[in-house]
């Protein structure tokens, strides 16, 4: 790079191109260190300011990237990076560059200069081993904010950077700062969105002898949020509502639309105590009236049992589907039932005037109901029909397993791997009501104002009669 604008332009271009190809901050930092070494320095460190520490007295710094041209010295640089920040005293070159926004250049005697700003200990000892003769600290600034700094070190076998080279380094670092800031902002957006989605995907209820397990696996290449959701809650009469839904889209907008649909569906179901089909009809009408630009597939199911049915040992699952993949029921012997309808109802958001229909089936003790989104069964190289067949086969293999293990096995075997689509699951298993709730089901968890009937005695029902 010395004395050539061609080399400067080439490095600026390489930094802009290579760092611009990733939105992962750690990877972008790693790429930057490889571009700077050995092009402009023998070794380097990249320091970032924590996002939430914007004022100088409160700043927290982290050395997040490093590299050395000599492979034999890289472990020493890594050790120095672990020790340096904690050993710095006020007035260090690093803090001067970050506080002022200006380049700090030490033309010679770099070891002595570093000894003056490092406390006695491992960091100072490592400087002696690495033996830099000159150093340059350039702040990383973007959008009026200092993100951190790049520290460039040269040994005795390499001249210190000339004024022209320092100016070139400033341009290179400015280009890198923009790319790193973009990655930082992307990470912040992703983290905020993921926190937002986690706040919506709350823990399910655990009523009486019903065990409920939920899972959410985001698409790795998106912002780690999307329109898939699950829900499990109680109505005031004690019926358990199960919901699985998928808003079209895989981004923050889809997650925001999902939150609206989920909240409205919950309110309709709890306040009206309506059937699944009626709840979906109300939700579809609200989507039109409020002009919510959402298309979504949804299954709403209700596990219900009247006192008479409980005495007779019967539990019913009543469900309605808005164009969603069909629920499946698997017994402990691996027998699988697909709760499919001949003519599935329309997606939400298409025609709220179209009548919606409830369907019913009787559930037995130890049977498991699975609701899922299409990310579990559909991917680019596997059509939905084949995916449903794969799911049936997996349920037959794993149906007798603990419910948590069953869900984990499905997620491990069926999706195309993280990255294609979000996956949400709700799995419900009915345990016998004439004996204590099994330990693997965990404690009962229901709202205080909802009835939670206790177990029956053996005289009230057969050992393996259906129940909820």
């Amino acid at each position: 790079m010395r004395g050539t604008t061609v080399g400067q332009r080439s490095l600026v271009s390489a930094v802009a191109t290579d760092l611009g190809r990733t939105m992962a901050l750690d990877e972008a930092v790693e790429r930057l260190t490889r571009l700077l070494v050995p092009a402009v320095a023998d070794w380097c460190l990249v320091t970032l300011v924590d996002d939430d520490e914007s004022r100088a007295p409160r700043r927290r710094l982290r050395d997040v990237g490093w590299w050395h041209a000599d492979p034999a010295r890289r472990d020493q640089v890594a050790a120095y990076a672990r020790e340096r920040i904690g050993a710095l005293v006020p007035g260090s070159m690093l803090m001067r560059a970050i506080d002022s926004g200006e380049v700090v250049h030490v033309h010679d005697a770099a070891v002595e200069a570093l000894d003056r700003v490092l406390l006695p200990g491992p960091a100072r000892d490592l400087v002696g081993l690495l033996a830099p003769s000159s150093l340059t600290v350039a702040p990383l600034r973007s959008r009026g904010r200092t993100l951190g700094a790049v520290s460039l070190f040269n040994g005795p076998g390499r001249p210190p950077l000339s004024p022209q080279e320092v100016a070139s380094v400033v341009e290179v670092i400015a280009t890198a700062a923009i790319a790193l800031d973009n990655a930082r902002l992307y990470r912040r957006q992703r983290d905020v969105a993921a926190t937002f989605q986690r706040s919506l995907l709350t823990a399910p209820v655990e009523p009486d002898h019903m065990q409920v397990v939920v899972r959410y696996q985001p698409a790795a290449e998106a912002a780690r949020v999307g329109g898939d959701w699950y829900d499990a809650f109680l109505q005031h009469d004690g019926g358990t509502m199960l919901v699985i839904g998928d808003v079209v889209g895989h981004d923050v907008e889809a997650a925001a639309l999902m939150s609206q649909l989920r909240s409205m569906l919950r309110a309709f179901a709890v306040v009206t105590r309506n059937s699944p089909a009626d709840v979906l009809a109300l939700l579809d009408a609200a989507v039109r009236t409020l002009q919510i630009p959402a298309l979504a597939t949804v299954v709403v199911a209700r596990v219900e049992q009247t006192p008479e049915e409980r005495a007779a040992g019967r539990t019913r699952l009543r469900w309605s589907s808005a164009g969603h993949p069909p629920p499946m029921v698997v017994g402990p012997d691996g027998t699988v039932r697909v709760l499919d309808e001949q003519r599935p109802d329309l997606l939400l958001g298409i025609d709220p005037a179209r009548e919606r229909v409830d369907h019913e089936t009787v559930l037995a003790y130890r049977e498991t109901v699975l609701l899922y989104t299409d990310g579990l069964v559909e991917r680019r190289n596997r059509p939905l029909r084949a995916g449903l067949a794969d799911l049936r086969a997996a349920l037959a293999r794993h149906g007798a397993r603990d419910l948590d293990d069953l869900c984990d096995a499905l997620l491990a075997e069926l999706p195309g791997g993280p990255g294609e689509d979000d996956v949400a699951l709700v799995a419900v298993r009915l345990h016998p009501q004439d004996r204590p709730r099994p330990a693997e089901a965990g404690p009962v968890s229901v709202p205080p104002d909802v009835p939670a009937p206790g177990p029956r005695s053996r005289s009230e029902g057969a050992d393996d009669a259906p129940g909820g």
Side-chain angles (χ1 to χ4, degrees), residues 91-93 106 108-118 127 135:
S92 67
M93 287 76 78
V106 177
D108 54 22
V111 171
E112 292 79 359
L114 289 168
D115 282 350
R116 289 193 292 269
V117 298
L118 290 169
V127 166
L135 70 91

Side-chain angles (χ1 to χ4, degrees), residues 161-423:
L161 295 179
S162 68
Q164 180 184 0
E165 288 175 321
V166 170
S168 297
V169 164
V170 168
E171 183 176 355
V172 171
I173 299 304
T175 302
I178 295 172
L180 295 179
D181 198 25
N182 288 339
R184 180 188 66 86
L185 293 172
Y186 175 81
R187 182 184 65 183
R188 175 178 288 182
Q189 178 189 17
R190 181 199 65 194
D191 292 347
V192 169
T195 300
F196 165 67
Q197 186 149 30
R198 282 195 301 271
S199 72
L200 295 173
L201 300 176
T202 52
V205 295
E206 294 281 357
D208 194 25
H209 281 51
M210 185 187 309
Q211 181 183 0
V212 184
V213 170
V214 294
R215 292 287 187 273
Y216 176 75
Q217 178 175 284
E221 298 305 320
R224 299 193 67 80
V225 295
D228 290 27
W229 88 94
Y230 61 76
D231 210 350
F233 57 91
L234 294 187
Q235 293 180 297
H236 284 299
D237 61 358
T240 302
M241 297 295 283
L242 310 172
V243 182
I244 198 80
D246 185 358
V247 174
V248 175
H250 305 288
D251 52 19
V252 176
E253 182 180 1
L257 292 172
M258 174 270 285
S259 72
Q260 295 183 67
L261 298 184
R262 175 185 181 273
S263 298
M264 289 191 297
L265 190 155
R266 276 188 149 208
F268 292 147
V270 171
V271 173
T272 66
R273 309 184 195 181
N274 281 358
S275 74
D278 290 339
V279 169
L280 282 175
L282 287 170
L283 181 60
D284 214 0
V287 167
R288 179 178 61 179
T289 301
L290 297 175
Q291 299 182 354
I292 298 173
L295 286 175
T297 66
V298 188
V299 168
V300 178
R302 175 181 156 98
V303 183
E304 53 192 22
Q305 184 185 63
T306 65
E308 294 76 19
E309 288 170 333
R310 183 182 179 89
R314 290 175 55 85
T315 297
R316 284 175 293 116
L317 180 75
R318 187 158 33 145
W319 81 95
S320 185
S321 174
H324 199 82
M328 295 193 185
V329 179
V330 58
D333 62 351
T335 302
V336 179
R337 289 185 285 144
V338 180
L339 304 184
D340 210 348
E341 314 110 44
Q342 292 182 349
R343 297 183 60 189
D345 290 346
L346 290 175
L347 279 69
L348 285 176
I350 294 179
D351 182 6
R354 181 75 66 89
E355 182 182 5
R356 296 194 176 275
V357 180
D358 281 315
H359 308 270
E360 287 190 11
T361 190
V362 175
L363 301 176
Y365 287 148
R366 301 189 182 92
E367 284 194 319
T368 299
V369 180
L370 180 71
L371 310 181
Y372 53 94
T373 55
D374 62 1
L376 186 68
V377 293
E378 188 174 25
R379 58 179 186 256
R380 294 184 187 94
N381 62 349
R382 182 179 64 187
L384 178 59
R385 185 182 299 275
L388 292 173
D390 290 345
L391 174 56
R392 291 191 65 172
L395 286 172
R397 288 193 303 275
H398 303 299
R401 298 178 69 170
D402 174 87
L403 196 54
D404 281 291
D405 292 342
L406 170 61
C407 292
D408 291 340
L410 295 178
L411 287 175
E413 291 184 13
L414 293 175
E420 287 210 4
D421 198 0
D422 305 334
V423 180

Side-chain angles (χ1 to χ4, degrees), residues 365-366 431-435 456 458 460-466:
Y365 287 148
R366 301 189 182 92
H431 294 287
Q433 291 174 285
D434 60 347
R435 62 194 64 183
R456 296 174 297 164
R458 286 187 180 271
E460 293 178 292
D463 203 17
D464 284 327

